[in-house]
Amino acid sequence: MSDATDPWLIVGLGNPGPEHAAQRHNVGFMVADLLAERIGGKFKRAQKAQAQVVEGRMGPPGPANRRVILAKPMSYMNLSGGPVTALRDFYKVPTDHIVAIHDELDIDYGTLRLKLGGGDNGHNGLKSMTKSMGSDYHRIRFGIGRPPGRMQVADFVLKDFSSTERKELGYLVDRAADSVECLLEEGLERAQSAYNS
């Protein structure tokens, strides 16, 4: 069982490369980038995994201050499990101290849901993580809504956010980053009651 001194591994899920940077599927990377900025770190290549990482501390001074590793797997989304498992093993992170931040089709745009464990709901990044290490990790699900009309899901998630969505995106990414900090400092129940909508 994990304890307060164990590090946390915060994983933003996405696809590497500038052509994917603004896509709905990459909202996990956007939140990870903001968290890195908040702790004053820059992503660099991990030695032991196909990922970029930032190490630092999150939270106020004192007992709520947490050692964190922020990570962006540099495999493609459907292979995220390999890099995340390698980082978990290298940094000795208990599985319940891993947080995956990802896009979620079945929730309205901008809605957040935090949970521990559960299924992958067809999300290839989660599917790969669960296959590699089981499902007992935290998820921060960032709603992107369903595709309009007959658009295929794969096309929808690999499109950039619409101009209307982009007006709110900065605020929503900020709120998702806040929810990660709340989860680490105050626990899942407090974070759920503050951020689940």
Side-chain angles (χ1 to χ4, degrees), residues 23-188:
Q23 294 172 351
R24 292 182 178 95
H25 223 18
N26 270 41
V27 75
F29 275 18
M30 296 173 197
V31 177
D33 286 336
L34 179 58
L35 287 167
E37 211 175 285
R38 287 185 182 183
I39 66 171
K42 288 222 183 314
F43 278 100
K44 56 184 192 296
R45 240 177 69 196
Q47 292 177 319
K48 302 289 180 185
Q50 193 183 355
Q52 290 186 349
V53 294
V54 174
E55 294 179 55
R57 300 197 77 85
M58 198 177 277
N65 192 262
R66 305 280 181 249
R67 181 174 163 231
V68 295
I69 300 99
L70 299 172
K72 297 191 294 186
M74 290 289 116
S75 59
Y76 280 89
M77 179 70 88
N78 59 347
L79 300 171
S80 302
V84 177
T85 303
L87 291 169
R88 177 198 68 178
D89 295 347
F90 179 70
Y91 289 105
K92 299 180 172 49
V93 180
T95 305
D96 67 351
H97 272 216
I98 296 172
V99 182
I101 309 162
H102 64 92
D103 57 306
E104 178 63 66
L105 286 158
D106 287 337
I107 306 175
D108 290 340
Y109 174 65
T111 301
L112 290 179
R113 297 271 166 78
L114 286 75
K115 67 180 209 171
L116 174 62
D120 56 56
N121 212 17
H123 191 286
N124 289 331
L126 297 182
K127 202 176 282 184
S128 176
M129 283 180 62
T130 297
K131 189 177 174 196
S132 288
M133 60 188 193
S135 63
D136 295 333
Y137 53 90
H138 288 85
R139 297 100 194 277
I140 292 184
R141 303 157 73 202
F142 186 110
I144 59 168
R146 301 293 305 181
R150 296 186 172 192
M151 187 189 287
Q152 294 294 312
V153 164
D155 295 332
F156 179 69
V157 299
L158 295 176
K159 277 205 178 344
D160 290 3
F161 284 101
S162 70
S163 55
T164 310
E165 288 169 336
R166 281 200 298 273
K167 287 181 182 138
E168 279 189 289
L169 186 60
Y171 164 75
L172 296 168
V173 166
D174 200 59
R175 195 164 176 270
D178 290 347
S179 78
V180 174
E181 293 181 349
C182 184
L183 170 64
L184 267 58
E185 290 165 33
E186 301 186 51
L188 180 60

